[in-house]
Amino acid sequence: MSHARSTHFTRRGLLAAGGVLGLGAALAACGDDKGGDAGSEGQAKGSRSGSWSFTDDRGTTVKLDAVPADIVAFTGAAAALYDYGIQVKGVFGPTKTTAGKADVQAGDMDVSKVTILGNTWGQFNIEKYAALAPDLLISTMFDDAGTLWYVPEESKKKIAQLAPSVGVSVYDRQLTQPLERMWKLAESLGADMKAAKATDARKRFEEASARLRAAAKAKPGIKVMAGSASDQLFYVSGTNLSIDLEYFKALGVRFVEPPESAKKQGGGWYESLSWENVDKYRADIIMMDDRTSAIQPADITKATWRKLPAVKAGQVIARSPEPILSYDKCVPLLTGLAEALEKAKKVS
């Protein structure tokens, strides 16, 4: 991790000394990247007071004159904060499905109460972002270079001019680490971490972890494969780099592990297989990517898929490769796998 870099912003930094004129000047400097659709404006600026600072996983310390109230966040991060009682004003990333319903990554958020700056990869409406007068942007990071997830590379400098950012790493570590970081971030933003909802969820997570550990110990011969489906390819994830799989492996779950050489095209994350070769690895349980960008098991029509022993045995469960980082939302990830292990038969 690099040495801490301190950035100090006030809400007046870009938008004051000119009101609407200042906003117009900021937008002129930033250009006009359009994308996404808009919901309602979200909560009004809160009454929190007192200076605020937070050092994120890039080693960057953000300092503000007051606790940020007007927050914009990647959808999954916003969903985690929502579970702790923090309502963001705007979101970017998968928020609504094509049917207009809340995306799986939106969790329990009412997506009609946030401004959606972009719903798909590459979308981030800077004009709408500036109009929200954000105090802070929050996202996750899937690499060690500090790249903010779903912040477009071509417009990241313009976006950074409008508000400071906080990044929570979900790269090459176990699930418990980013969960703890999001807990600390929510606490710093004013969440009541002593509330029963928060403490009960944390306790349930610990209990679910113990259950999964026991299930894995009781079924040492059962092997799990983490997959994701597209029309042309089937992706097999290795446990390295993924926060959920690394944690499950630490609890004793045995996974299919593609060799490093096979994962090169997937940046070290996964191996790509043609559907003709989907039976390359033997597995008793298959965990399938639940994101809307992936084809779901019920919709896979490939004959080679239907012939897999785990599929024929009905031993296919959902996996969330981008977990919502609240203890409440991570409990089902553990209990779902634990239950699958407890019931699983050796079929490979």
Side-chain angles (χ1 to χ4, degrees), residues 40 64 123 289 328:
S40 64
L64 297 170
Q123 286 186 339
D289 188 342
D328 178 72

Side-chain angles (χ1 to χ4, degrees), residues 12-86:
R12 301 173 67 182
L14 277 171
L15 305 179
V20 175
L21 181 61
L23 173 59
L27 289 174
C30 291
D32 186 9
D33 288 19
K34 294 188 177 182
D37 54 341
S40 64
E41 189 166 293
Q43 71 172 21
K45 188 169 181 65
S47 59
R48 303 177 185 122
S49 60
S51 61
W52 180 87
S53 70
F54 189 85
T55 301
D56 73 0
D57 290 337
R58 297 170 296 185
T60 299
T61 298
V62 177
K63 295 181 179 180
L64 297 170
D65 292 340
V67 178
D70 293 337
I71 300 168
V72 170
F74 169 67
T75 302
L81 292 173
Y82 181 86
D83 283 353
Y84 293 128
I86 303 297

